[in-house]
Amino acid sequence: MSFLTEATTRRLATLSTQAIRSTTVTTTAPRAAFSSSVTLQKTVADTTKDTLKTVDRTVSDKLVDAIDIGSTVASKVKEVAEDVTGQKNTGAAADLKGQAAGMAKNVSGQAQGKANELAGKAQKMGSQAQGKAQELGGQAQGKASEVAGKAKGAAYEAEGKARGAAGEL
């Protein structure tokens, strides 16, 4: 039994039956948080920000992986070098050290390439989002002008009717 259920049962058990009968409890169901209004929908800028955050997170993860691999390789090289130098075989240690350095540069290059690729994609998506935002802004401005024109026309029409009615009187 959960803590809240247990505490509630204890409290109810201590109340007299008369007090329970005289108490009325009214409950209301919470309103659902559902709306189709424009304010609750994501804007283009919000969508772009979310996408850029995702790309940034992916790039960061890849760089952290590359750093971890580099540190692991460095520690392995150090261990091997210590083992090999202890046996007076420095040629093999240098060879292993070179291989490890090559591997570390390779992994680092791959991570940098992936980071550049993802940054390019993010920049492209940002440009597309900006273009779409400008397009939607133009459409909104056009609609506003159209509505203003209709209102102006209706006002002129009403004025003409009023003058016609005044002329008849």
Side-chain angles (χ1 to χ4, degrees), residues 31-42:
R31 290 183 49 138
F34 175 77
S35 175
S36 62
S37 68
V38 176
T39 58
L40 294 179
Q41 296 175 358
K42 281 190 174 183

Side-chain angles (χ1 to χ4, degrees), residues 33-110:
F34 175 77
S35 175
S36 62
S37 68
V38 176
T39 58
L40 294 179
Q41 296 175 358
K42 281 190 174 183
T43 63
V44 175
D46 291 338
T47 305
T48 303
K49 285 180 187 176
D50 291 344
T51 303
L52 291 176
K53 283 181 186 177
T54 304
V55 168
D56 183 48
R57 182 63 184 184
T58 305
V59 169
S60 298
D61 289 345
K62 290 295 180 183
L63 290 175
V64 167
D65 289 343
I67 291 170
D68 289 343
I69 290 171
S71 64
T72 304
V73 167
S75 65
K76 292 289 182 184
V77 166
K78 186 176 180 181
E79 289 174 10
V80 169
E82 288 173 358
D83 289 345
V84 171
T85 52
Q87 298 172 0
K88 304 292 185 207
N89 190 355
T90 56
D95 184 40
L96 289 174
K97 184 176 180 181
Q99 287 178 356
M103 288 174 54
K105 283 187 178 182
N106 185 20
V107 169
S108 176
Q110 287 176 352

